[in-house]
Short mmCIF file of all heavy atoms in Angstrom, two decimals:
data_model
loop_
_atom_site.label_atom_id
_atom_site.label_comp_id
_atom_site.label_asym_id
_atom_site.label_seq_id
_atom_site.Cartn_x
_atom_site.Cartn_y
_atom_site.Cartn_z
N TRP A 411 7.83 -16.23 -10.58
CA TRP A 411 6.59 -16.35 -9.91
C TRP A 411 5.50 -16.71 -10.88
O TRP A 411 5.39 -16.04 -11.88
CB TRP A 411 6.16 -15.02 -9.21
CG TRP A 411 7.02 -14.61 -8.05
CD1 TRP A 411 6.78 -14.96 -6.72
CD2 TRP A 411 8.17 -13.84 -8.09
NE1 TRP A 411 7.84 -14.41 -5.90
CE2 TRP A 411 8.73 -13.76 -6.70
CE3 TRP A 411 8.88 -13.16 -9.06
CZ2 TRP A 411 9.77 -12.95 -6.38
CZ3 TRP A 411 10.06 -12.43 -8.73
CH2 TRP A 411 10.47 -12.34 -7.38
N THR A 412 4.76 -17.77 -10.59
CA THR A 412 3.75 -18.29 -11.47
C THR A 412 2.44 -18.29 -10.71
O THR A 412 2.29 -18.64 -9.59
CB THR A 412 3.97 -19.64 -12.01
OG1 THR A 412 5.35 -19.73 -12.61
CG2 THR A 412 2.94 -20.04 -13.03
N ALA A 413 1.35 -17.70 -11.37
CA ALA A 413 0.00 -17.60 -10.73
C ALA A 413 -0.45 -19.01 -10.35
O ALA A 413 -0.40 -19.95 -11.13
CB ALA A 413 -0.90 -16.99 -11.68
N ASP A 414 -0.84 -19.20 -9.11
CA ASP A 414 -1.38 -20.45 -8.61
C ASP A 414 -2.65 -20.16 -7.74
O ASP A 414 -2.58 -20.29 -6.57
CB ASP A 414 -0.26 -21.07 -7.70
CG ASP A 414 -0.66 -22.43 -7.19
OD1 ASP A 414 -1.64 -23.10 -7.83
OD2 ASP A 414 -0.11 -22.96 -6.23
N GLY A 415 -3.62 -19.72 -8.46
CA GLY A 415 -4.87 -19.40 -7.79
C GLY A 415 -5.11 -17.83 -7.75
O GLY A 415 -6.14 -17.41 -7.28
N SER A 416 -4.16 -17.09 -8.31
CA SER A 416 -4.26 -15.64 -8.28
C SER A 416 -3.76 -15.06 -9.53
O SER A 416 -3.06 -15.72 -10.26
CB SER A 416 -3.53 -15.01 -7.11
OG SER A 416 -3.73 -13.63 -7.00
N LYS A 417 -4.14 -13.81 -9.88
CA LYS A 417 -3.67 -13.07 -11.08
C LYS A 417 -3.54 -11.57 -10.69
O LYS A 417 -4.01 -11.07 -9.71
CB LYS A 417 -4.61 -13.16 -12.20
CG LYS A 417 -4.78 -14.62 -12.75
CD LYS A 417 -5.74 -14.61 -13.91
CE LYS A 417 -5.99 -16.03 -14.51
NZ LYS A 417 -6.88 -15.96 -15.68
N ILE A 418 -2.74 -10.86 -11.53
CA ILE A 418 -2.74 -9.36 -11.46
C ILE A 418 -3.67 -8.92 -12.50
O ILE A 418 -3.38 -8.93 -13.68
CB ILE A 418 -1.32 -8.83 -11.60
CG1 ILE A 418 -0.33 -9.54 -10.73
CG2 ILE A 418 -1.32 -7.34 -11.33
CD1 ILE A 418 1.10 -9.10 -10.98
N GLY A 419 -4.84 -8.40 -12.03
CA GLY A 419 -5.88 -8.04 -13.06
C GLY A 419 -5.69 -6.62 -13.48
O GLY A 419 -4.80 -5.87 -13.02
N PRO A 420 -6.43 -6.17 -14.50
CA PRO A 420 -6.41 -4.82 -15.00
C PRO A 420 -6.58 -3.75 -13.91
O PRO A 420 -7.48 -3.89 -13.04
CB PRO A 420 -7.52 -4.77 -16.03
CG PRO A 420 -7.66 -6.22 -16.44
CD PRO A 420 -7.43 -7.01 -15.27
N GLY A 421 -5.74 -2.75 -13.94
CA GLY A 421 -5.84 -1.68 -12.95
C GLY A 421 -5.28 -2.11 -11.59
O GLY A 421 -5.40 -1.40 -10.52
N GLN A 422 -4.58 -3.26 -11.49
CA GLN A 422 -4.00 -3.72 -10.24
C GLN A 422 -2.48 -3.88 -10.34
O GLN A 422 -1.90 -3.77 -11.46
CB GLN A 422 -4.56 -4.99 -9.82
CG GLN A 422 -6.07 -5.05 -9.63
CD GLN A 422 -6.66 -6.45 -9.32
OE1 GLN A 422 -6.00 -7.41 -9.52
NE2 GLN A 422 -7.78 -6.41 -8.80
N PHE A 423 -1.85 -3.99 -9.16
CA PHE A 423 -0.34 -4.33 -9.09
C PHE A 423 -0.19 -5.34 -8.03
O PHE A 423 -0.95 -5.48 -7.14
CB PHE A 423 0.51 -3.03 -8.96
CG PHE A 423 0.48 -2.50 -7.51
CD1 PHE A 423 1.44 -2.87 -6.63
CD2 PHE A 423 -0.50 -1.59 -7.16
CE1 PHE A 423 1.41 -2.38 -5.33
CE2 PHE A 423 -0.48 -1.10 -5.82
CZ PHE A 423 0.49 -1.45 -4.91
N GLN A 424 1.01 -5.94 -8.11
CA GLN A 424 1.33 -6.89 -7.02
C GLN A 424 2.87 -6.72 -6.63
O GLN A 424 3.66 -6.44 -7.53
CB GLN A 424 1.11 -8.35 -7.54
CG GLN A 424 1.60 -9.45 -6.57
CD GLN A 424 0.70 -9.42 -5.32
OE1 GLN A 424 -0.48 -9.59 -5.45
NE2 GLN A 424 1.37 -9.37 -4.18
N GLN A 425 3.13 -6.92 -5.36
CA GLN A 425 4.52 -6.83 -4.91
C GLN A 425 5.00 -8.26 -4.61
O GLN A 425 4.34 -8.99 -4.04
CB GLN A 425 4.55 -6.01 -3.59
CG GLN A 425 4.34 -4.54 -3.79
CD GLN A 425 4.62 -3.77 -2.59
OE1 GLN A 425 5.43 -2.97 -2.49
NE2 GLN A 425 3.76 -3.99 -1.54
N PHE A 426 6.25 -8.45 -4.97
CA PHE A 426 6.88 -9.77 -4.72
C PHE A 426 8.17 -9.51 -3.90
O PHE A 426 9.22 -9.10 -4.41
CB PHE A 426 7.24 -10.47 -6.02
CG PHE A 426 6.05 -10.80 -6.88
CD1 PHE A 426 5.66 -9.93 -7.90
CD2 PHE A 426 5.33 -11.93 -6.58
CE1 PHE A 426 4.58 -10.27 -8.68
CE2 PHE A 426 4.19 -12.28 -7.39
CZ PHE A 426 3.84 -11.39 -8.40
N PRO A 427 8.13 -9.71 -2.55
CA PRO A 427 9.26 -9.38 -1.65
C PRO A 427 10.36 -10.42 -1.84
O PRO A 427 10.17 -11.60 -1.91
CB PRO A 427 8.66 -9.41 -0.31
CG PRO A 427 7.16 -9.35 -0.54
CD PRO A 427 6.96 -10.07 -1.77
N LEU A 428 11.60 -9.83 -1.73
CA LEU A 428 12.79 -10.71 -1.81
C LEU A 428 13.82 -10.20 -0.69
O LEU A 428 13.90 -9.07 -0.40
CB LEU A 428 13.48 -10.56 -3.11
CG LEU A 428 12.80 -11.20 -4.36
CD1 LEU A 428 13.56 -10.72 -5.63
CD2 LEU A 428 12.80 -12.72 -4.27
N SER A 429 14.48 -11.19 -0.13
CA SER A 429 15.64 -10.86 0.71
C SER A 429 16.94 -11.18 -0.03
O SER A 429 17.11 -12.28 -0.55
CB SER A 429 15.57 -11.76 1.99
OG SER A 429 16.75 -11.59 2.79
N LEU A 430 17.74 -10.16 -0.20
CA LEU A 430 18.99 -10.24 -1.00
C LEU A 430 20.20 -10.12 -0.17
O LEU A 430 20.22 -9.33 0.78
CB LEU A 430 19.01 -9.16 -2.12
CG LEU A 430 17.76 -9.03 -2.98
CD1 LEU A 430 18.03 -7.82 -3.99
CD2 LEU A 430 17.46 -10.29 -3.78
N GLY A 431 21.23 -10.82 -0.59
CA GLY A 431 22.58 -10.69 0.06
C GLY A 431 23.54 -11.66 -0.49
O GLY A 431 23.23 -12.71 -1.03
N GLN A 432 24.71 -11.48 -0.29
CA GLN A 432 25.41 -10.19 0.12
C GLN A 432 25.57 -9.35 -1.16
O GLN A 432 25.99 -9.87 -2.24
CB GLN A 432 26.83 -10.53 0.76
CG GLN A 432 27.49 -9.39 1.26
CD GLN A 432 28.83 -9.77 1.92
OE1 GLN A 432 29.31 -10.94 1.85
NE2 GLN A 432 29.42 -8.83 2.60
N LEU A 433 25.17 -8.05 -1.00
CA LEU A 433 25.27 -7.19 -2.15
C LEU A 433 26.74 -6.89 -2.55
O LEU A 433 27.52 -6.82 -1.71
CB LEU A 433 24.55 -5.87 -1.81
CG LEU A 433 22.96 -6.05 -1.51
CD1 LEU A 433 22.41 -4.69 -1.07
CD2 LEU A 433 22.29 -6.61 -2.70
#
Side-chain angles (χ1 to χ4, degrees):
W411 290 271
T412 305
D414 186 20
S416 182
K417 296 180 180 181
I418 308 174
Q422 299 178 343
F423 75 91
Q424 177 64 54
Q425 291 186 114
F426 298 96
L428 290 171
S429 174
L430 306 180
Q432 183 176 10
L433 297 175

